[in-house]
Amino acid sequence: MERYDVAVIGGGMVGTAIGYGCAERGARVVVLDEGDVALRAARGNFGLVWGQSKGDGMPAYGAWTRLSIALWPALAERVSGFAGRDVCYRPVGGLTFCLSEAELAERRDFVHRRHNQGHNTVRIVDRRELQEMMPGCPLGPEVVGASFDPTDGHVDPLTLLRGLHAGLRSAGGLHLPGASVVAIDPVGGHYRIERADGERLYAERIVVASGVATSRVAAMVGLDVPVRPVRGQNIVTERLAPILPKPASAIRQTGDGTIQIGVTSEDDGILETPTTTAALAKMAARAIRVLPPLANARMVRSWAALRPMTPDGFPAYAESATHPGCFVAVCHSGVTLAAVHAGPMAEAVMGGGMHELAAELHPDRFARMPIQHVPAI
């Protein structure tokens, strides 16, 4: 009978970061994972470490994001070592391009709200400053300006996930993919976890970090956490000479020279990950307006993934009132928040008390608000 200090249910970016953080702190950790049949966001995301658009209307989320960004350099160094190669974390600043005066005015209003909510690093830059900031970048004539945050950046998300799993193993943790969790029951001071393959494990503490399956699994430990799938499509081009030195919210040049273009926000509730020609064409057309040379670039890959989205679009964290030692963690910003998940959130699971910012993101807020569909941010 296998017993663990912490069982994490979900082997994506959120669950693995928390599991790694707990293992680093001396816990005997197992990460349970459905395996390749899982509808993962972790293997289909855009790779931004991004603060400028996070937390509008929820200052705690903005502050939680900024804390994670502050912790990111140390995480990147450590995880690169585990991965055996650079995770390509580049905190070079990030942009949200505007292709008309109307878009720029709307973005300026957004930045003003962010300042009022405590996010003072983001600002508006005009076309002249953009060109000075990125000399030689072949911006299209419609680019009139952008919002810019010098603390933003990007990373190779697949290498990050590889490094987190390697760090988990290095600290003695175990990854057990291959079956979903079907039951959790308190038994003699522990929790018994039963999987669909019939295997049973025991743990003192549980973290539900199951992405789009969070609602189902969290209910097993007395937590009501509504989560729905929001699909996002991405494009990757062939490798190009350097043309975009800073990442943007829907276009970035990766460390290997490819251009990644995204992302859609398809809120139709369907648990499938198809790509569609219409959506890919729309994304590509806007990217060409930003960088006209992309009109001659070949697309080599496209994909879709499902983001786990709460009713208000913000993360949710809690310890169960009915099942002490059982936690939930769900968000659509698993890359950006990896550093706080491996740090303060892991500390909370280990018994250190929920960080005050995470405590403000309790899912009990959903009972007080009408369910509304919001875009990914």
Side-chain angles (χ1 to χ4, degrees):
M1 183 172 60
E2 294 293 333
R3 292 185 180 270
Y4 300 90
D5 299 319
V6 178
V8 180
I9 303 173
M13 203 72 74
V14 175
T16 307
I18 295 171
Y20 157 68
C22 291
E24 281 274 282
R25 287 162 176 79
R28 188 173 186 227
V29 176
V30 61
V31 174
L32 305 175
D33 195 2
E34 284 186 302
D36 288 340
V37 299
L39 294 167
R40 290 189 177 93
R43 297 186 182 181
N45 66 74
F46 204 70
L48 297 179
V49 180
W50 210 248
Q52 64 175 277
S53 59
K54 306 292 177 66
D56 185 23
M58 179 66 81
Y61 176 32
W64 184 238
T65 299
R66 291 191 295 275
L67 174 60
S68 193
I69 290 173
L71 296 173
W72 243 99
L75 178 71
E77 181 178 2
R78 191 151 181 78
V79 174
S80 292
F82 290 127
R85 64 185 187 215
D86 186 8
V87 298
C88 294
Y89 172 54
R90 302 292 183 263
V92 294
L95 299 158
T96 299
F97 290 114
C98 300
L99 298 180
S100 68
E101 292 297 337
E103 285 187 12
L104 189 62
E106 183 178 352
R107 196 65 186 173
R108 186 176 285 111
D109 288 343
F110 176 84
V111 169
H112 181 69
R113 290 200 307 273
R114 301 298 291 120
H115 281 207
N116 289 340
Q117 296 172 51
H119 191 124
N120 297 320
T121 54
V122 62
R123 62 187 178 89
I124 293 293
V125 296
D126 60 19
R127 183 182 176 91
R128 177 192 59 79
E129 189 171 356
L130 275 175
Q131 292 176 323
E132 292 175 351
M133 187 182 293
M134 301 185 295
C137 180
L139 293 174
E142 294 178 85
V143 177
V144 296
S147 61
F148 172 66
D149 193 326
T151 69
D152 287 341
H154 59 152
V155 69
D156 176 350
L158 295 182
T159 302
L160 170 63
L161 185 61
R162 168 179 169 165
L164 289 171
H165 273 281
L168 172 73
R169 292 192 301 271
S170 176
L174 185 64
H175 177 220
L176 292 180
S180 60
V181 169
V182 296
I184 301 172
D185 296 294
V187 176
H190 290 72
Y191 293 98
R192 183 179 63 209
I193 303 166
E194 184 173 345
R195 303 207 306 171
D197 59 3
E199 184 174 1
R200 290 181 174 181
L201 308 96
Y202 294 80
E204 291 185 11
R205 296 173 180 271
I206 292 174
V207 180
V208 178
S210 306
V212 295
T214 293
S215 297
R216 176 184 67 83
V217 183
M220 299 177 191
V221 295
L223 286 165
D224 181 12
V225 188
V227 175
R228 69 186 191 280
V230 174
R231 186 169 52 256
Q233 299 185 44
N234 286 262
I235 296 171
V236 165
T237 72
E238 61 187 321
R239 290 179 173 85
L240 303 175
I243 59 172
L244 184 62
K246 296 184 185 299
S249 60
I251 181 171
R252 74 183 186 103
Q253 189 158 26
T254 69
D256 63 8
T258 61
I259 299 289
Q260 186 174 351
I261 300 165
V263 287
T264 61
S265 183
E266 300 163 69
D267 196 355
D268 54 19
I270 297 174
L271 283 168
E272 297 179 358
T273 55
T275 58
T276 60
T277 302
L280 298 177
K282 183 177 180 180
M283 292 191 301
R286 183 174 176 91
I288 291 168
R289 292 168 68 192
V290 174
L291 292 176
L294 292 181
N296 299 315
R298 290 175 294 184
M299 183 182 79
V300 298
R301 188 161 66 96
S302 65
W303 72 91
L306 297 178
R307 309 177 188 90
M309 196 67 62
T310 66
D312 59 10
F314 303 128
Y317 306 94
E319 181 177 3
S320 173
T322 59
H323 294 65
C326 293
F327 297 80
V328 68
V330 61
C331 72
H332 71 273
S333 300
V335 170
T336 298
L337 297 178
V340 285
H341 291 157
M345 189 62 201
E347 291 171 2
V349 172
M350 295 292 289
M354 192 73 76
H355 191 284
E356 61 181 355
L357 294 174
E360 291 189 47
L361 296 167
H362 197 287
D364 63 3
R365 69 185 188 271
F366 303 134
R368 304 189 299 270
M369 61 177 285
I371 300 297
Q372 55 181 324
H373 285 191
V374 297
I377 52 175

